[in-house]
Amino acid sequence: MATDTQTKQIDLFESPDFYQVDSLFTEEHKLIRSSTREFVKKEISPYIQQWCEEAYFPQEIVAKFGKMGVFGPFIPEEYGGGALDYISYGLIMQEIERGDSGMRSTASVQGSLVMYPIYKFGNDEHRKKYLPRLAAGEMLGCFGLTEPDHGSNPGGMVTNFKDMGDYYLLNGSKMWISNAPNADIAVVWAKNEEGRVHGLIVERGMEGFTTPETHGKWSLRASATGELVFNNVKVPKENLLPNKSGLGAPLMCLDSARYGIAWGAMGAAMDCYDAAKRYSLVRKQFDKPIGSFQLVQKKLAEMLTEITKAQLLTWKLGTMMNMGKATTAQISMAKRNNVAMALDVAREARQIHGAMGITGDFPMMRHMANLESVLTYEGTHDIHLLILGHEITGIQSFK
Ligand code: TGC
Ligand code: FAD
């Protein structure tokens, strides 16, 4: 059991703020960030190395996240949310992913991909039935869009449901679904008999519904990933989300989640930069701290520059999210830039640590491996490039 033999690593993390981005945050933003950071230092950092080594998802973190208000912070208070703005949401994602991308996955799926569609596309009964329990971490959800043969092209999905009069009959399967093995409910995207995409809430225990776990991952090892298999599942008609249909509905959820990832990836980058800066000042070679050598300083200076640019990009995007004015392409730019930036920072920081950098005593290899998934999910690095290309030229190049 992972928690019996925890490696109690001391987490000394401090975030960089080279351009005084803090001056753009309110006191409430800073309080939310510091309380989430303290939570991560206490509840995640001491255990994460071991959870990842053992590919162990700490189920107890769900209730703890719920108590912290991490799930769906932008959802109104009447449904259990925090009624916070999108910069608060971003800062929470930044701090959790600073701890681990897999932990942030759990939180962003629950908030942006489960609570968001239930709030936006569900009716008031759906909201009252599910949102307070999801917010409190009494219930875990997952989001089923990707299929074995339809990843970047979700519009080609074959999962489908038929109207049987008293209920819908659901068939098909979803793959690579975060939280699936532990989820109590799944928001599933499937086509009706006319080929129109709809969202359905499928509950664990419905006959014909199974969630086999995906094993052998070298990335996001503390996050449980699985399939959703629907074999003649009778879904009650009231479980259909009535307020939006078409592929645009899941893509709207992705806008919210991709925004959170842009902040989250910055947290992973900050963690690697912070570790590298600290190490460069204590590690000596040729009788001097390695931080005194120009090539090490170059690495640190370039990391800080890229993190600072990402901080400004993300803060501005947050203000547009708050006004409801951020476009999908603007979100794509931030997700794509920040995840690639974080991967570069992780590699450079790993190099600064020399051989020590390949061990679990430092976070870089774990972040690096995690970020390979983050680069691919929620739209691959190249798909986001093509979304930008479409925006620039007006010409769609996907198909
Ligand atoms: P396309 O023809 O462009 O659009 C289809 C319909 O959707 C509308 N639409 C949007 N509506 C609202 N918000 C948006 N952001 C929208 N984007 C598009 C669009 O207007 C159209 O409407 P209509 O009425 O004309 O039908 O769609 P396409 O089939 O050409 O595909 C475009 C593409 C490739 C960009 C898109 O499908 C895409 O983003 N692919 C990537 C797939 C992806 O990101 N999957 C993510 C799965 S979830 C996940 O990875 C969770 S990981 C979580 C974790 O662990 O943290
Ligand atoms: P493919 O679509 O097969 O792409 C393979 C390669 O081809 C990529 O490099 C891609 O960029 C490229 N490519 C594809 N189409 C084009 C094109 N038109 N032009 C140029 N290049 C192209 N999905 C969910 O629904 N819910 C989840 O909770 C979820 N969690 C995930 C968790 C993990 C750990 C991972 C790894 C994935 C998760 N996913 C989830 C799935 C994820 O969204 C998909 O993996 C992603 O959308 C890419 O799909 P794919 O893997 O099928 O790759």
Side-chain angles (χ1 to χ4, degrees):
M1 182 66 176
T3 44
D4 291 344
T5 51
Q6 304 137 359
T7 23
K8 296 261 180 202
Q9 294 178 347
I10 299 165
D11 182 350
L12 301 169
F13 174 74
E14 285 170 27
S15 53
D17 186 19
F18 195 62
Y19 261 42
Q20 298 175 16
V21 179
D22 267 16
S23 66
L24 302 169
F25 296 137
T26 64
E27 287 310 309
E28 189 185 31
H29 291 146
K30 288 187 252 184
L31 190 65
I32 288 166
R33 182 182 56 186
S34 63
S35 58
T36 314
R37 186 169 302 172
E38 286 315 305
F39 173 87
V40 168
K41 286 189 177 191
K42 184 165 170 268
E43 303 288 353
I44 296 178
S45 303
Y47 315 115
I48 189 63
Q49 168 65 17
Q50 188 148 8
W51 291 342
C52 287
E53 277 180 20
E54 296 179 3
Y56 171 77
F57 173 68
Q59 177 68 39
E60 64 279 6
I61 204 77
V62 178
K64 290 179 183 174
F65 274 156
K67 268 206 189 91
M68 274 299 293
V70 157
F71 294 139
F74 43 76
I75 296 287
E77 280 169 313
E78 63 176 308
Y79 300 115
L84 299 175
D85 70 355
Y86 267 93
I87 290 183
S88 306
Y89 176 51
L91 286 166
I92 293 170
M93 295 300 110
Q94 173 188 297
E95 292 303 315
I96 296 178
E97 191 148 0
R98 205 279 302 171
D100 188 71
S101 306
M103 295 291 99
R104 196 269 307 136
S105 266
T106 299
S108 56
V109 167
Q110 180 97 330
S112 283
L113 299 182
V114 178
M115 295 174 71
Y116 176 91
I118 291 175
Y119 175 65
K120 278 274 176 193
F121 315 137
N123 56 34
D124 216 42
E125 281 85 70
H126 295 135
R127 294 185 192 119
K128 286 186 179 135
K129 180 174 176 189
Y130 297 108
L131 292 179
R133 296 191 63 202
L134 288 161
E138 292 164 10
M139 191 180 240
L140 185 67
C142 66
F143 175 89
L145 181 65
T146 304
E147 298 187 352
D149 293 328
H150 301 94
S152 297
N153 176 26
M157 72 175 72
V158 292
T159 298
N160 65 88
F161 62 97
K162 289 196 171 85
D163 189 338
M164 305 301 281
D166 292 344
Y167 56 86
Y168 296 122
L169 194 66
L170 179 65
N171 276 292
S173 66
K174 300 286 174 179
M175 200 175 175
W176 298 115
I177 307 305
S178 300
N179 297 352
N182 302 74
D184 301 290
I185 61 166
V187 170
V188 176
W189 300 94
K191 284 180 178 166
N192 68 8
E193 285 148 286
E194 287 76 50
R196 183 96 183 145
V197 173
H198 286 266
L200 298 156
I201 302 171
V202 180
E203 299 193 9
R204 183 171 296 283
M206 285 182 179
E207 208 180 322
F209 173 43
T210 50
T211 60
E213 184 159 1
T214 303
H215 296 288
K217 290 182 301 166
W218 284 92
S219 175
L220 292 188
R221 287 175 60 79
S223 158
T225 311
E227 294 170 51
L228 304 175
V229 182
F230 315 106
N231 185 7
N232 286 325
V233 182
K234 290 178 181 173
V235 181
K237 284 199 150 172
E238 62 266 22
N239 283 27
L240 183 118
L241 299 176
N243 293 334
K244 189 164 170 70
S245 64
L247 191 60
L251 291 178
M252 275 174 72
C253 308
L254 294 182
D255 280 351
S256 173
R258 290 166 176 173
Y259 165 78
I261 289 173
W263 284 84
M266 223 161 46
M270 286 175 178
D271 200 35
C272 294
Y273 165 77
D274 184 60
K277 184 180 84 174
R278 212 179 292 285
Y279 189 80
S280 74
L281 297 175
V282 295
R283 172 70 177 168
K284 287 192 177 150
Q285 286 295 286
F286 303 97
D287 303 320
K288 287 157 119 186
I290 58 170
S292 66
F293 301 127
Q294 287 184 2
L295 289 175
V296 173
Q297 291 188 2
K298 174 177 186 285
K299 284 184 172 53
L300 292 170
E302 286 177 350
M303 285 184 221
L304 181 60
T305 305
E306 292 307 315
I307 290 170
T308 304
K309 282 153 68 178
Q311 281 176 301
L312 292 166
L313 181 73
T314 320
W315 174 79
K316 176 61 180 155
L317 183 65
T319 65
M320 294 189 287
M321 288 290 286
N322 283 342
M323 292 185 293
K325 289 194 172 158
T327 65
T328 297
Q330 286 164 340
I331 295 167
S332 282
M333 181 185 279
K335 190 266 183 186
R336 180 176 186 275
N337 180 77
N338 291 10
V339 178
M341 178 280 290
L343 254 173
D344 288 344
V345 167
R347 292 199 70 219
E348 294 289 293
R350 207 289 304 153
Q351 285 193 61
I352 288 179
H353 285 76
M356 282 309 292
I358 70 157
T359 72
D361 290 350
F362 295 95
M364 293 79 59
M365 289 295 287
R366 179 171 48 78
H367 282 309
M368 211 189 296
N370 283 341
L371 287 162
E372 288 294 337
S373 283
V374 183
L375 196 76
T376 287
Y377 68 32
E378 301 270 7
T380 68
H381 189 64
D382 286 346
I383 287 294
H384 288 296
L385 183 88
L386 299 179
I387 290 173
L388 283 164
H390 183 192
E391 177 80 6
I392 294 163
T393 63
I395 305 166
Q396 230 252 33
S397 69
F398 307 113
K399 1 188 186 188

